[in-house]
């Protein structure tokens, strides 16, 4: 009888936010077209490690399962990416799964990405349209601009660019590469442009755009192919203009 | 208001090019006179040493900017979490080398300034061709200087690229790529000028 094909996974586990991480190896039966999520589900169904010991099921986050929500981001064989689009057939075994440790680990592969949402608030990554009366329709966006702005809107705050960036770590307060794309997106919007100056001023604050050291890992790592390094340079230009204008006078 | 962090970072980038980068080019050019013999070098060094207001120019255009650039640069270099083992991309290597050459240059320049300029100001030595020939007579110092010159030229060339990105001058991937090729050419040409001048003293 032919030996049954299996998938071997080494998971870096952590029982809680302050617990010491440890490795645990699992082996699950192979099925065609498996992804990392389905392998994890298989472990969850029967949480027994290779030594035959019964253990707690590993924790991870997931939602859309089609690489648009960013929830299942983890470090797979050394590279941060989404577990849902990581196909077992295309991965070298044993498959090493680690949490994105740039973020606080909640448990096992689940991390707390709330710093990214705090960043979006700090850099005013929204477009204010509320008034005390109907403000009417805003200015139209030219089609060619809409096309490149759409690329920036694909950001799903998955955190992969922060994990890949050498300047996002516990020694710096740098907000991370994704923020550049979001500032550029909102500044490009004809209504959002009205608050361009506020956004740039906020982004020139503590932990802001100056934290970028141009290692350009972000643009290589981004699963959505967002041209982050183009946004970085573009926002650098906007910031230079803004800082000169605010020094010499806006009017 | 732009934060102090932003202003410091941009000042660091600006000073690296003006005046430090420009001074590096002047310095390497003056050194190159050594290839035409001791007299040519001594004449050129003499002109530099007798520029009007030379002490003022040294302090304002060299020492103060260099001190800020070095100290803030050390701070920047120690903030990064280097990860070329996982992300072995070209720019990530340049990011690492920019910081490592910078740290080497802090040590190299402290030593270099001490043993040439400070020694001269304290009247311990005469600032001429023989001073350098004596220093470079030691094979260890020769290697220390060659690596120093190459590190300085690399740090300048790659820093020129980074300056153009940090100030938002090159934005498109194409502009950034073409500028990379340009800075490689700058690196090769200046490295030739610098290293050839070092060997002229040996």
């Amino acid at each position: 009888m032919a030996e049954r094909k299996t998938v071997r996974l080494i998971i870096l586990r952590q029982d809680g936010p302050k617990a010491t991480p440890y490795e645990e190896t699992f082996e699950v039966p192979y099925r065609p077209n498996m992804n990392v999520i389905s392998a994890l589900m298989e472990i969850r169904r029967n949480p027994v490690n290779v030594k035959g010991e019964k253990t707690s099921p590993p924790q991870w986050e997931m939602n859309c399962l089609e690489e648009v929500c960013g929830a299942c981001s983890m470090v797979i064989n050394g590279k941060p990416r989404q577990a849902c689009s990581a196909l077992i057939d295309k991965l070298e075994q044993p498959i090493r799964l680690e949490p994105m440790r740039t973020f606080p680990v909640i448990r096992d592969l689940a991390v707390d990405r709330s710093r990214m949402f705090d960043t979006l608030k700090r850099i005013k990554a929204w477009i204010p349209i509320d008034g005390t009366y109907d403000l009417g329709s805003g200015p139209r966006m030219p089609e060619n601009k809409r096309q490149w702005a759409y690329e920036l809107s694909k950001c799903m705050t998955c955190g992969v660019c922060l994990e890949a960036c050498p300047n996002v770590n516990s020694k710096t307060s740098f907000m991370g590469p994704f923020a550049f794309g979001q500032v550029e997106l909102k500044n490009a919007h004809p209504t959002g442009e009205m608050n361009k100056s506020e956004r740039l001023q906020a982004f020139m604050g503590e932990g802001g755009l100056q934290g970028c050291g141009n290692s350009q890992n972000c643009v290589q790592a981004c699963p959505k192919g967002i041209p982050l390094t183009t946004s970085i340079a573009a926002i650098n230009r906007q910031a230079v203009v803004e800082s000169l204008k605010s020094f010499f006078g806006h009017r | 208001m732009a934060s102090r962090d932003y202003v410091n970072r941009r000042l660091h980038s600006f000073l690296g090019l003006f005046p430090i980068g420009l001074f590096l080019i002047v310095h390497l050019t003056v050194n190159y006179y050594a290839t035409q013999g001791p007299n040519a070098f001594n004449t050129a060094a003499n002109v530099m040493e007798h520029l009007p207001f030379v002490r003022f120019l040294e302090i304002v255009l060299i020492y103060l900017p260099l001190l800020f650039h070095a100290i803030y640069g050390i701070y920047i270099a120690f903030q990064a979490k280097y990860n070329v083992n996982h992300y072995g991309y070209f720019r990530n290597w340049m990011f690492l080398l920019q910081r490592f050459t910078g740290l080497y240059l802090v040590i190299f320049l402290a030593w270099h300034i001490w043993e040439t300029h400070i020694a001269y100001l304290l009247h311990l030595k005469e600032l001429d061709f023989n001073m350098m020939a004596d220093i470079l007579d030691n094979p260890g110092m020769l290697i220390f200087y060659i690596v120093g010159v190459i590190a300085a030229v690399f740090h300048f060339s790659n820093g020129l690229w980074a300056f153009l990105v940090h100030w938002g001058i090159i934005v498109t991937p194409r502009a950034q790529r073409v500028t990379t090729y340009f800075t490689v050419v700058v690196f090769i040409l200046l490295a030739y000028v610098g290293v050839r001048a070092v060997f002229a003293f040996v």
Side-chain angles (χ1 to χ4, degrees), chain A residues 169-194:
Chain A
N169 59 57
S170 52
K171 288 178 276 183
T172 71
S173 54
F174 180 41
M175 296 173 190
F178 83 107
F180 288 90
Q182 292 313 296
V183 172
E184 196 190 13
L185 174 65
K186 272 71 186 187
N187 283 358
H189 189 279
T191 305
E193 199 184 347
M194 297 171 188

Side-chain angles (χ1 to χ4, degrees), chain A:
Chain A
M1 199 179 92
E3 207 181 318
R4 274 188 74 196
K5 243 176 119 183
T6 57
V7 181
R8 202 178 177 87
L9 299 113
I10 303 173
I11 304 178
L12 188 73
R13 306 200 53 182
Q14 186 171 327
D15 294 340
K18 292 206 172 84
T20 317
Y22 61 94
E23 278 185 354
E24 193 157 43
T25 310
F26 295 91
E27 223 166 55
V28 295
Y30 172 84
R31 277 182 283 119
N33 307 322
M34 271 180 118
N35 62 8
V36 168
I37 298 274
S38 64
L40 283 169
M41 285 172 152
E42 201 62 45
I43 297 171
R44 185 166 68 179
R45 193 168 295 139
N46 178 30
V48 175
N49 65 25
V50 279
K51 291 183 221 152
E53 299 160 349
K54 197 160 170 56
T55 180
S56 58
Q59 299 296 303
W60 77 94
E61 280 191 309
M62 59 177 168
N63 188 15
C64 74
L65 304 180
E66 55 178 4
E67 204 190 68
V68 291
C69 79
C72 67
S73 308
M74 58 183 73
V75 179
I76 301 169
N77 284 348
K79 288 261 174 6
R81 54 186 296 189
Q82 280 70 52
C84 63
S85 55
L87 303 178
I88 298 292
D89 289 336
K90 291 189 178 165
L91 293 170
E92 199 184 310
Q93 286 196 40
I95 299 162
R96 290 182 171 275
L97 303 182
E98 291 168 40
M100 297 195 295
R101 278 183 288 174
T102 297
F103 301 93
V105 175
I106 300 169
R107 183 169 178 163
D108 297 333
L109 302 167
V111 296
D112 178 5
R113 289 177 294 130
S114 47
R115 59 169 289 173
M116 295 181 79
F117 306 103
D118 294 338
T119 292
L120 291 175
K121 287 180 224 162
R122 280 189 53 197
I123 58 177
K124 302 176 197 292
W126 66 84
I127 294 168
I129 52 165
D130 292 338
T132 51
Y133 57 95
D134 184 1
L135 297 174
S137 55
R140 281 183 64 82
M141 188 179 215
E143 173 57 18
N144 58 355
K145 197 178 194 181
R146 186 203 60 78
Q147 281 182 9
W148 63 253
Y150 180 68
E151 296 304 315
L152 305 179
S153 74
K154 289 180 180 172
C155 179
M156 52 191 183
T157 49
C158 68
V160 162
C161 60
L162 278 80
E163 177 69 20
C165 178
N167 273 1
V168 177
N169 59 57
S170 52
K171 288 178 276 183
T172 71
S173 54
F174 180 41
M175 296 173 190
F178 83 107
F180 288 90
Q182 292 313 296
V183 172
E184 196 190 13
L185 174 65
K186 272 71 186 187
N187 283 358
H189 189 279
T191 305
E193 199 184 347
M194 297 171 188
N195 302 82
K196 185 177 177 178
S197 172
E198 287 165 45
R199 233 171 258 123
L200 289 170
Q201 290 291 351
F203 201 24
M204 283 190 276
E206 173 71 19
L209 60 96
Q210 64 277 9
C212 171
N214 270 294
S215 77
Q216 302 208 332
N217 286 352
C218 53
V219 75
Q220 303 269 4
C222 179
K224 306 313 285 183
I226 297 171
L228 284 167
T229 49
T230 311
S231 284
I232 289 169
I235 291 302
N236 280 339
R237 179 183 289 178
Q238 292 184 14
V240 169
V241 173
E242 169 63 27
S243 52
L244 290 175
K245 274 185 179 170
S246 75
F247 181 78
F248 289 106
H250 264 288
R251 284 167 293 172

